[in-house]
Amino acid sequence: MNYIQNPRDHFKSFIRDEVSRFITDQFSVSVLPKMKENIELLQQKIMKAAHESTQHVQENRGDAGLWLKSFTQQISDELIFSEKDLTGIKHDDVDDFNLLEEVIRHELPAIMFDSGSRFNTKTIDEKLDQFRPDEILTEHVCQCCWVQCPFCGVVCTNTIENHDGDHSVAFHRVRGINGHLYSGTTNLSVSICTSEVASNGSFCPNDSDDKVLYRDYRRAGGVYAEWSISPDLSELPYWKWFVCRFQKDLEKHYEKTFEGSGEIPDEWRKYSKQDAIESLDKYL
Ligand SMILES: [Zn+2]
Ligand SMILES: [Zn+2]
């Protein structure tokens, strides 16, 4: 129901759950080796920065102060790090800047090994607080138009947010899925937007008493005027199968029934789950 009514919210939590499942299930085979690889790369970069700083100081006849400055500058792209972090080192104490590179060469492997061995599914989750992969993915994947059809609630499939032109989608849904009723009844609707706009039926936009023909739905203005819904009778079996399969759940959820004008046509019941899935593969 969350997918049907709050699609964006559903996609966000779907991505979050999948990422979290990936981190838990794939930790030792995929996550940990990648972290170790990154630690190794980082170690190489730090070593390189230390070595290049030594060369820089030699060429410029500088001192330990210059070494620290050069070192900090080189690794600040890789680490959140500044000269302040090195305030424990008094420049006067280090008359031989070669010593600095030596210290790093000796100490770094143990420190890196130590950080690597502290990774587990729990610590990684805490560490991810700032750069959560699920948020990066959501940002990447969910930048599309989320406007829903005013009749059935299906999401516009345009991949650009605030795009030019009309909202549109290849297949609309059976409207009862979204809780739509035939007016004046407690019957969930079995109509599909694309066949409605081919019919002589009418609707009352925004619960007003003014009737608008489905054929002229744009006249209702607002979001109706922003949708392009072409009359089409070749409906996707998927949502028909869905309504049959989840009829009881939908009726319970909305406390309404698929009865009377909302009677589910017998021919819809012949679709199998396989037909439903294949219809998606075929058209989408
Ligand atoms: Zn629709
Ligand atoms: Zn759109």
Side-chain angles (χ1 to χ4, degrees):
M1 291 319 296
N2 195 34
Y3 164 69
I4 286 159
Q5 289 172 334
N6 308 297
R8 190 177 198 154
D9 185 55
H10 168 80
F11 276 89
K12 267 177 101 167
S13 51
F14 174 78
I15 291 170
R16 196 183 51 229
D17 294 348
E18 285 297 302
V19 167
S20 147
R21 204 166 57 87
F22 179 84
I23 290 176
T24 315
D25 295 355
Q26 306 287 311
F27 188 76
S28 55
V29 286
S30 186
V31 181
L32 194 58
K34 189 74 200 161
M35 298 304 286
K36 293 209 159 140
E37 194 185 309
N38 284 348
I39 288 181
E40 250 174 63
L41 278 175
L42 190 59
Q43 183 172 345
Q44 283 166 16
K45 280 178 183 163
I46 295 174
M47 295 285 210
K48 189 165 167 268
H51 186 64
E52 282 175 3
S53 300
T54 306
Q55 280 181 327
H56 179 68
V57 172
Q58 276 166 349
E59 281 159 17
N60 293 283
R61 301 178 182 278
D63 57 3
L66 182 66
W67 191 94
L68 290 172
K69 202 177 188 69
S70 155
F71 180 67
T72 310
Q73 269 171 3
Q74 287 192 63
I75 61 168
S76 60
D77 284 349
E78 308 295 334
L79 293 173
I80 300 166
F81 186 78
S82 79
E83 266 184 276
K84 281 191 213 131
D85 294 314
L86 298 167
T87 46
I89 302 173
K90 288 205 186 72
H91 299 178
D92 303 342
D93 293 350
V94 192
D95 43 12
D96 182 5
F97 54 81
N98 283 303
L99 188 64
L100 292 167
E101 189 185 338
E102 272 310 298
V103 169
I104 289 193
R105 192 175 298 282
H106 274 118
E107 302 295 328
L108 195 59
I111 294 168
M112 289 306 215
F113 179 79
D114 191 38
S115 350
S117 60
R118 268 185 282 130
F119 280 126
N120 58 48
T121 44
K122 190 173 170 288
T123 54
I124 201 165
D125 198 56
E126 288 161 6
K127 299 263 184 261
L128 284 176
D129 241 15
Q130 228 182 335
F131 304 101
R132 300 202 65 86
D134 52 326
E135 279 168 21
I136 296 167
L137 263 177
T138 305
E139 181 86 347
H140 182 70
V141 180
C142 295
Q143 274 193 350
C144 45
C145 181
W146 287 99
V147 174
Q148 291 176 260
C149 170
F151 296 117
C152 71
V154 72
V155 172
C156 167
T157 44
N158 199 301
T159 51
I160 300 165
E161 210 167 357
N162 302 318
H163 58 87
D164 292 333
D166 292 333
H167 302 296
S168 66
V169 62
F171 291 100
H172 288 258
R173 289 178 196 150
V174 176
R175 299 180 60 194
I177 294 171
N178 210 25
H180 182 79
L181 304 172
Y182 287 108
S183 55
T185 74
T186 55
N187 302 144
L188 287 160
S189 167
V190 286
S191 308
I192 299 175
C193 315
T194 38
S195 39
E196 297 248 72
V197 298
S199 74
N200 291 319
S202 54
F203 68 105
C204 302
N206 313 318
D207 295 328
S208 67
D209 289 332
D210 302 332
K211 282 193 171 177
V212 175
L213 282 171
Y214 276 110
R215 272 186 278 132
D216 299 328
Y217 70 90
R218 281 179 193 262
R219 274 192 40 229
V223 71
Y224 294 97
E226 296 167 4
W227 271 84
S228 166
I229 306 172
S230 325
D232 182 6
L233 299 172
S234 63
E235 294 150 350
L236 193 67
Y238 184 81
W239 292 110
K240 295 180 178 176
W241 167 83
F242 182 92
V243 169
C244 300
R245 169 63 182 80
F246 296 104
Q247 177 182 355
K248 290 274 167 289
D249 304 85
L250 291 163
E251 290 180 336
K252 197 170 158 213
H253 180 81
Y254 292 114
E255 298 178 337
K256 301 287 185 297
T257 52
F258 284 102
E259 283 178 310
S261 10
E263 187 82 47
I264 296 175
D266 276 346
E267 65 264 28
W268 290 17
R269 302 207 182 266
K270 69 175 194 277
Y271 295 120
S272 64
K273 183 176 176 181
Q274 195 55 30
D275 294 333
I277 293 169
E278 277 171 16
S279 75
L280 288 179
D281 286 343
K282 198 164 139 199
Y283 291 108
L284 301 178

